[in-house]
Amino acid sequence: MVPAAVQHEEPREDDELLARVAAGNQGALSELIARHGRGLRMFAARYLGNAGDAEDVVQEVFVTIWKQAARFDPARGRASTWLYRITANRCIDQRRRRALRTFIGLDDVRDEVASQEPGAEATTAARQELAIVRDCLSRLPERQRMAVLLRAVGDLDIAAIAEVMGGSAGSAEQLLVRGRRALRDHLRDHLAMAAEGLERKSS
């Protein structure tokens, strides 16, 4: 069992890093990026469905942190929750920008075209499973998807998810319950379709 003192060590370290960032310490910012950058990129990439957009979002997040670290108040919540709240807001902004680009015809859709190369079918089972999960996530309503990703990728608890999303703990819990149920339903449909396809091939 982890001692209580160790359990609270990381949040304290993040608080200290943000205080140093607020004082203009670039090394502290680099350390914060090393600690949280990967998790924030994973969250943003799975929410947005685009690794390039996610990279842009996380860069914006750390620029914001560099400029606004002094606004963080450890008495109001954990540093990681603050980071994910900023990232969630930037993701929403990015989706709006992408929607506008698409509407006026500026989006390059080459990444949306499936590969037709002969070797494209030789993917591993793990990659196929990940693709299915991503597709199912993309079908969830926006707030359900965000809640599920904050829990699964950000490892935030109900209270932290509610804080990030600006709602109550009860509403966050309901979003998670509905999101998980819908995700299971989508996965079940995918599996049923895959099984049906195998039956057709074997007949």
Side-chain angles (χ1 to χ4, degrees):
M1 186 174 179
V2 181
V6 177
Q7 289 178 338
H8 297 291
E9 184 176 344
E10 283 197 11
R12 278 207 308 271
E13 288 179 4
D14 287 340
D15 292 353
E16 291 167 4
L17 285 172
L18 281 171
R20 287 163 54 198
V21 171
N25 188 315
Q26 292 185 354
L29 180 65
S30 296
E31 195 172 339
L32 205 61
I33 292 171
R35 289 168 68 95
H36 295 284
R38 183 173 179 272
L40 295 176
R41 277 192 296 274
M42 286 178 61
F43 165 69
R46 292 180 185 178
Y47 179 77
L48 295 168
N50 184 296
D53 284 351
E55 189 66 37
D56 291 343
V57 161
V58 174
Q59 287 182 14
E60 289 180 19
V61 167
F62 283 110
V63 169
T64 299
I65 290 167
W66 175 251
K67 294 177 178 177
Q68 300 182 6
R71 296 186 180 183
F72 171 67
D73 182 1
R76 299 181 61 183
R78 293 176 56 175
S80 60
T81 303
W82 190 65
L83 297 181
Y84 275 96
R85 188 192 310 125
I86 294 173
T87 307
N89 288 337
R90 291 293 178 275
C91 282
I92 292 169
D93 291 343
Q94 180 66 21
R95 282 179 65 85
R96 288 170 178 162
R97 287 196 296 267
R98 188 198 297 170
L100 178 61
R101 290 199 306 268
T102 301
F103 178 73
I104 61 178
L106 295 179
D107 251 358
D108 183 354
V109 295
R110 64 181 180 275
D111 291 334
E112 302 298 324
V113 180
S115 173
Q116 299 299 319
E117 297 177 3
E121 293 182 2
T123 56
T124 64
R127 287 180 63 187
Q128 290 174 336
E129 183 177 333
L130 182 59
I132 290 171
V133 171
R134 284 175 173 166
D135 181 64
C136 291
L137 279 168
S138 72
R139 296 170 188 270
L140 294 180
E142 187 171 332
R143 286 181 65 78
Q144 287 182 18
R145 181 167 66 252
M146 181 174 285
V148 168
L149 289 174
L150 285 170
R151 183 72 187 95
V153 179
D155 197 27
L156 302 187
D157 59 21
I158 297 292
I161 292 170
E163 186 177 346
V164 168
M165 299 187 69
S168 67
S171 63
E173 189 167 8
Q174 282 301 308
L175 285 170
L176 276 176
V177 168
R178 292 170 184 162
R180 285 169 176 160
R181 184 187 302 128
L183 197 53
R184 283 196 298 269
D185 290 343
H186 289 316
L187 286 168
R188 192 180 301 114
D189 291 343
H190 264 284
L191 290 173
M193 290 173 62
E196 185 179 339
L198 287 173
E199 286 179 5
R200 288 176 181 172
K201 285 183 180 179
S202 61
S203 61

